[in-house]
Amino acid sequence: MQRFACLMIVCCAAGAALGEPHTIDDRAHHLGDNTLPEWKAFTTPEARSAPLKIDFEAAPNATEFTLKIQHRDLHSPWTVTLNGVSLGQLEKGKDPSFTALPVPANTLVAGSNTLVINSRDKKDDVVIGPVQLLDVSPRKVLNLGRVLVTVNDAAGGHVPARLTIIDAKGQLAKTWYTATEKTAVRPGVVYMLGDQTSIELPAGDYVITATRGMEWSMAKSPMTIESGQTATLPLTIQREVDTTGWIAADTHIHTLTFSGHGDASIDERMITLPGEGVELAVATDHNHHTDYRPYQEKLGVCDHFTPVVGNEVTTKNGHFNAFPLPPSGKENVPDWHQSDWVKLIDDIRAHGAKVVILNHPRWPRDDNNPYGNAGLNRGSGDRESGPTRMPMDAMELVNSCDGRTDPLIMLTDWFALLNHGEKLLAVGTSDSHTVYHHVGQGRTYVPSSTDDPSAIDVDQACKAFTDGRILVSYGIFANATVNGKYTLGQVVPVGNKPVKVSLRVACASWVGPRQAIVYVNGIKVAERTIEPHEGPLDTMLTFEGITPPHDGHLVCAVVGDPVDDQAYWMEHPHTFAATNPIYLDADGDGKYTTPRDTAAKRLADIDTVDQLRAALQKVDDAVAVQMFSLLRERWAGDKRSALDALARSMDQDRPLFARYLQDLSTH
């Protein structure tokens, strides 16, 4: 297919009457890299490469004009510049539509003018055009009216927030003349720092909702916009979840500026972080050490969060978030060409990182992801390839922007690895690349000696990560203690006595937790229904009579309804929270023994299937599966066949055995 560096159109826009549209290009251009015969009805099937360049004649514009661009099938950002002046982006969407962009006064020059429409994504097949220039402002073309919005807390002080604006058709509404250095704006979404913000909208009816992440209430108000008129809208939100002693961390955050994809610039990210209540913000652009501090200072948002320099070390064999790191940009970064996990993470730590996290372990596809490529058995934690130990500190249990990292699915992987003996902790993250996707929606709560978000001790926070004293959150806050005093990461002396688990569950009034579950060694040992509630929820659930037959790791999880509101759109079909493990010492030796090590001890004197069958009566399924896994490494021939037959006889109504055997047959 023939390729062009650009497509140049020369036409004349001078001489039309004031207020009439001047067609500066009357064609519909197919840009991209494919031949699409089905597009023959409205454009050429053959694509030409971006950018689209249109040269046209015009006179200077003493007032603001409007550029109207028709388009369809836009899936990536397409930018528009006129004589080198950025006018904005075309609105994404598959259906035929148009974008009207303001042309500031004095942008046009006498004689030749150049319009350029371009995208970084050269594979995005789109149709652009015709293009018209109108010598009136978009305020007239679109019948705009203005609303002045403020967002306050219960005490009357301004608070950063996200505004979601829905039109009468239930769609996200494009705003006009809203972007400033103190806002981050996308269709239907405006992040603001709380003080009065001017928003212009076409005349009509809207619903405007203010939010500030999962700890705060929602303020929702209907609004009628009248053309040429100005209205005011004060909104009040208040904190509904008490997280005293805990700070909200997001350890997976991107910018277009330094990651090269997504759409949130570094300045916009400084506005979205306070707007979602993120207090510890770890910058993790791909293979880049990003320092937020200069941008924080420039925009005056230092009081809202503590920044941490990090890096999403992006390899062909997985992505790893690492922090803290020196603010060196692209210089002196870990060797992201390294595919051996142990060598890679040793190198990451040599660069200064105290915390290393495996990101989205089941991304990007079923047939290509870190755990799948390693041949992870989701029943036993065995791996066919890769390192003999997991060298990272944690894995993402929640990634709120990756639809594949569903926490209910990832729990299975995590429990299998814990049962296999890995000391692998769980975190929640957002992985937000854009303004629209909520940064901090998936988050990790970290204990802190201060509740001042600008004064968080980063070293203290890192130690909490590696000690396992952290909570995973996706809309719900949950924390647990055992026997009234033992908490995350601690070893509980149990002996042969039952333990009492106390689980605090808290959420905002617009979140609905439904089920609380206690797992020991990944096996559900207790659960409780959480009844619907009015207003915010903060309740303590108690589970008694849990008696482990041997040492075990105890994890609590809470699952809730999805948030059915466009103001807090969620990728996954539920809200969620989980603790990290509390360790149960049932044998009284003063330490925690993993299920795999327990299995090895129980197998010391076992040499026949009959002996194994008797031993299995005294252990839970997690240890039993580890016993089978270890014996499969030792036994061969008839003994291996008898072992497998015994395992198959145990898989009915025993999910862990069924999962172990299923993965054993497929790997």
Side-chain angles (χ1 to χ4, degrees):
M1 184 188 306
Q2 189 176 9
R3 291 287 183 262
F4 298 85
C6 67
L7 176 65
M8 182 177 293
I9 310 295
V10 180
C11 57
C12 181
L18 182 67
E20 294 182 1
H22 315 295
T23 299
I24 64 174
D25 179 33
D26 61 1
R27 284 185 277 178
H29 302 282
H30 176 185
L31 305 177
D33 71 345
N34 281 323
T35 298
L36 300 172
E38 63 271 25
W39 283 13
K40 186 176 181 179
F42 48 84
T43 187
T44 57
E46 296 78 17
R48 296 188 177 186
S49 297
L52 171 63
K53 183 178 179 183
I54 301 173
D55 285 350
F56 63 96
E57 299 290 320
N61 60 317
T63 60
E64 185 176 68
F65 281 12
T66 300
L67 187 70
K68 181 179 179 182
I69 304 172
Q70 297 186 50
H71 49 75
R72 63 186 297 165
D73 284 275
L74 267 65
H75 304 288
S76 298
W78 284 79
T79 60
V80 181
T81 60
L82 178 57
N83 295 335
V85 176
S86 175
L87 302 186
Q89 293 186 357
L90 302 182
E91 296 178 36
K92 295 179 186 178
K94 181 175 179 59
D95 296 330
S97 184
F98 73 90
T99 299
L101 297 171
V103 179
N106 301 314
T107 300
L108 294 170
V109 298
S112 180
N113 293 262
T114 301
L115 175 69
V116 178
I117 304 173
N118 198 12
S119 175
R120 293 187 182 208
D121 184 0
K122 305 305 180 185
K123 296 183 178 181
D124 188 15
D125 278 87
V126 303
V127 178
I128 294 177
V131 180
Q132 293 179 316
L133 186 66
L134 292 82
D135 46 16
V136 292
S137 166
R139 289 187 169 97
K140 296 291 186 182
V141 174
L142 300 171
N143 295 317
L144 299 182
R146 184 167 68 147
V147 57
L148 303 176
V149 182
T150 55
V151 180
N152 297 327
D153 61 16
H158 295 325
V159 289
R162 170 180 171 131
L163 301 178
T164 303
I165 305 168
I166 305 299
D167 65 19
K169 296 180 180 179
Q171 303 297 314
L172 292 167
K174 179 175 172 59
T175 64
W176 298 85
Y177 302 98
T178 307
T180 71
E181 67 172 10
K182 295 298 180 72
T183 61
V185 182
R186 293 296 182 272
V189 172
V190 178
Y191 280 95
M192 55 187 290
L193 294 179
D195 46 347
Q196 190 175 83
T197 298
S198 174
I199 299 171
E200 296 193 35
L201 294 158
D205 294 327
Y206 299 88
V207 174
I208 300 179
T209 304
T211 57
R212 198 187 180 210
M214 56 161 278
E215 298 177 27
W216 290 71
S217 64
M218 280 188 182
K220 192 180 295 286
S221 177
M223 191 77 208
T224 297
I225 300 295
E226 297 182 5
S227 179
Q229 302 299 307
T230 298
T232 59
L233 179 62
L235 295 170
T236 299
I237 58 175
Q238 59 187 353
R239 185 184 294 276
E240 293 189 328
V241 181
D242 182 3
T243 57
T244 302
W246 297 86
I247 51 99
D250 190 348
T251 60
H252 197 165
I253 306 168
H254 290 278
T255 67
L256 172 64
T257 309
F258 296 115
S259 280
H261 59 282
D263 70 15
S265 71
I266 187 76
D267 287 347
E268 289 175 322
R269 187 56 79 206
M270 298 305 98
I271 306 301
T272 64
L273 286 163
E276 294 290 349
V278 175
E279 296 162 318
L280 186 68
V282 182
T284 54
D285 288 307
H286 296 283
N287 299 327
H288 188 282
H289 295 184
T290 301
D291 186 0
Y292 286 163
R293 287 173 297 180
Y295 306 96
Q296 253 193 320
E297 293 167 1
K298 180 179 73 171
L299 293 170
V301 294
C302 294
D303 290 345
H304 293 297
F305 63 92
T306 295
V308 181
V309 178
N311 182 342
E312 183 170 17
V313 183
T314 305
T315 79
K316 293 181 179 179
N317 196 26
H319 295 190
F320 299 85
N321 280 342
F323 61 92
L325 290 164
S328 59
K330 285 188 174 294
E331 302 300 322
N332 194 31
V333 299
D335 181 11
W336 49 272
H337 300 288
Q338 176 61 256
S339 60
D340 182 291
W341 282 6
V342 174
K343 292 179 180 178
L344 171 69
I345 291 175
D346 283 348
D347 183 43
I348 291 172
R349 296 193 194 281
H351 281 76
K354 297 178 180 179
V355 181
V356 182
I357 300 166
L358 173 61
N359 299 340
H360 37 64
R362 290 291 178 178
W363 179 88
R365 302 189 309 271
D366 286 341
D367 62 348
N368 180 21
N369 62 74
Y371 283 169
N373 294 343
L376 174 66
N377 186 300
R378 302 180 74 232
S380 66
D382 294 322
R383 279 96 65 194
E384 287 188 338
S385 61
T388 56
R389 64 179 177 88
M390 290 290 188
M392 68 288 294
D393 301 299
M395 58 169 272
E396 287 183 342
L397 187 62
V398 169
N399 179 310
S400 57
C401 285
D402 171 28
R404 301 188 59 80
T405 311
D406 186 316
L408 296 184
I409 295 173
M410 298 312 301
L411 271 177
T412 302
D413 288 344
W414 184 38
F415 288 153
L417 290 164
L418 292 177
N419 290 343
H420 198 267
E422 302 293 346
K423 188 180 184 298
L424 191 65
L425 304 168
V427 301
T429 73
S430 74
D431 195 8
S432 175
H433 287 67
T434 68
V435 170
Y436 176 74
H437 287 98
H438 301 258
V439 66
Q441 189 176 66
R443 59 179 61 186
T444 303
Y445 279 97
V446 185
S448 174
S449 57
T450 178
D451 290 311
D452 180 352
S454 68
I456 296 166
D457 186 325
V458 174
D459 288 339
Q460 183 186 75
C462 289
K463 190 173 189 309
F465 271 93
T466 56
D467 287 349
R469 294 180 291 112
I470 52 177
L471 303 169
V472 179
S473 182
Y474 185 51
I476 301 169
F477 180 91
N479 188 21
T481 58
V482 173
N483 292 346
K485 62 178 181 178
Y486 297 97
T487 187
L488 311 172
Q490 294 184 327
V491 177
V492 185
V494 175
N496 58 0
K497 297 179 181 179
V499 299
K500 175 183 176 181
V501 178
S502 301
L503 176 63
R504 180 192 170 206
V505 180
C507 65
S509 53
W510 43 274
V511 178
R514 290 292 172 259
Q515 187 180 34
I517 308 165
V518 181
Y519 298 93
V520 174
N521 290 344
I523 300 167
K524 185 188 300 183
V525 296
E527 61 183 316
R528 182 79 53 80
T529 298
I530 302 173
E531 298 300 328
H533 60 98
E534 293 290 336
L537 175 72
D538 197 332
T539 188
M540 187 69 73
L541 305 177
T542 301
F543 303 86
E544 299 188 79
I546 298 171
T547 307
H550 40 66
D551 288 10
H553 54 83
L554 184 147
V555 170
C556 296
V558 181
V559 182
D561 296 333
V563 176
D564 186 21
D565 196 304
Q566 286 176 283
Y568 206 72
W569 180 86
M570 305 184 84
E571 181 77 34
H572 302 295
H574 40 253
T575 45
F576 179 82
T579 69
N580 267 282
I582 301 171
Y583 302 102
L584 307 179
D585 172 24
D587 60 14
D589 64 357
K591 62 182 181 180
Y592 162 69
T593 303
T594 70
R596 192 166 185 85
D597 287 342
T598 298
K601 290 180 180 180
R602 300 294 175 100
L603 290 174
D605 298 320
I606 290 177
D607 193 49
T608 69
V609 169
D610 287 340
Q611 290 174 327
L612 174 63
R613 185 181 288 108
L616 292 174
Q617 306 304 312
K618 301 177 182 180
V619 298
D620 67 15
D621 281 1
V623 172
V625 166
Q626 296 302 320
M627 293 171 77
F628 277 91
S629 169
L630 289 166
L631 287 176
R632 287 193 101 256
E633 296 175 358
R634 303 177 191 175
W635 290 359
D638 291 343
K639 291 180 73 174
R640 167 78 71 82
S641 298
L643 178 70
D644 290 347
L646 177 59
R648 287 192 295 272
S649 73
M650 300 179 68
D651 73 349
Q652 290 188 352
D653 300 321
R654 302 177 79 166
L656 202 57
F657 269 94
R659 194 175 301 124
Y660 168 64
L661 291 171
Q662 179 182 359
D663 283 6
L664 200 62
S665 66
T666 57
H667 291 319

